[in-house]
Amino acid sequence: MITGILFPSDEEQPIKRVEVDAENVEHIQSIVGGSYEAFNFDSPPASIFANDEAMLWSLPHNLRATVLLWQHAKGLRGQAYISGDAILMGMPDGRGITKSVPQQLITLLLESETYGVEFLHHPDGPWSRKAVTFSGWLEAYNYAIIHEETFATVRSARVIGV
């Protein structure tokens, strides 16, 4: 069993840590409601598993999983939308075995209480932080995405726990 983070599409339901049998296809299918695909992050090494027939079944949009994906897999921003329940797990190892979600994402998404956003303006750094603090990670991620898309001087943004 590995550790994942479940993102229910129902925003009234909290995200939560779950134990997943990553080698059991049926177990993952039971979580996401059918056959699935993995969306890989650029960094940290993680993947979101979501129902690959969500559009056919008109599953509800999963805003939280989509925003997380757009920030961590920038090439998919505005291109991929996640619908239905989704689960965040680690990337597969060299043998193709999916690993647990990275601890830094568990800490950020499940254990932090306040969040900040840091910006990179030059390729070689440094990161700078605006004085704005957020009480929820979703708002911080949205702020980061909007700034990356709006301001030409922002090369990258990241959400941190503060």
Side-chain angles (χ1 to χ4, degrees):
M1 298 293 268
I2 64 167
T3 300
I5 300 175
L6 175 65
F7 287 79
S9 58
D10 178 356
E11 292 180 37
E12 298 295 317
Q13 299 298 316
I15 65 170
K16 64 182 179 181
R17 182 188 316 237
V18 292
E19 294 301 312
V20 180
D21 183 354
E23 296 184 47
N24 183 334
V25 171
E26 289 83 18
H27 187 232
I28 297 172
Q29 288 175 331
S30 72
I31 294 170
V32 301
S35 60
Y36 58 89
E37 62 183 315
F39 297 92
N40 296 326
F41 285 8
D42 302 324
S43 178
S47 300
I48 293 181
F49 288 69
N51 189 306
D52 67 356
E53 296 179 331
M55 300 304 264
L56 294 173
W57 299 105
S58 298
L59 296 178
H61 177 67
N62 191 324
L63 174 67
R64 295 176 292 186
T66 299
V67 167
L68 192 72
L69 177 68
W70 285 4
Q71 184 58 28
H72 290 283
K74 292 177 174 54
L76 296 177
R77 189 178 287 172
Q79 306 297 315
Y81 297 83
I82 296 178
S83 296
D85 294 344
I87 186 160
L88 177 64
M89 295 189 282
M91 292 285 281
D93 64 15
R95 297 174 294 146
I97 306 297
T98 301
K99 297 298 185 185
S100 289
V101 66
Q103 182 60 45
Q104 70 187 82
L105 288 172
I106 291 172
T107 301
L108 181 66
L109 299 171
L110 298 176
E111 298 170 2
S112 297
E113 294 182 11
T114 55
Y115 304 86
V117 178
E118 292 183 332
F119 298 99
L120 186 65
H121 296 280
H122 304 285
D124 53 352
W127 288 90
S128 62
R129 181 169 172 254
K130 297 259 185 178
V132 180
T133 301
F134 300 90
S135 60
W137 65 265
L138 184 60
E139 294 82 11
Y141 271 86
N142 277 321
Y143 185 82
I145 290 170
I146 289 168
H147 276 70
E148 280 186 342
E149 293 295 316
T150 305
F151 298 101
T153 61
V154 174
R155 290 175 126 19
S156 189
R158 65 183 180 193
V159 175
I160 60 168
V162 293

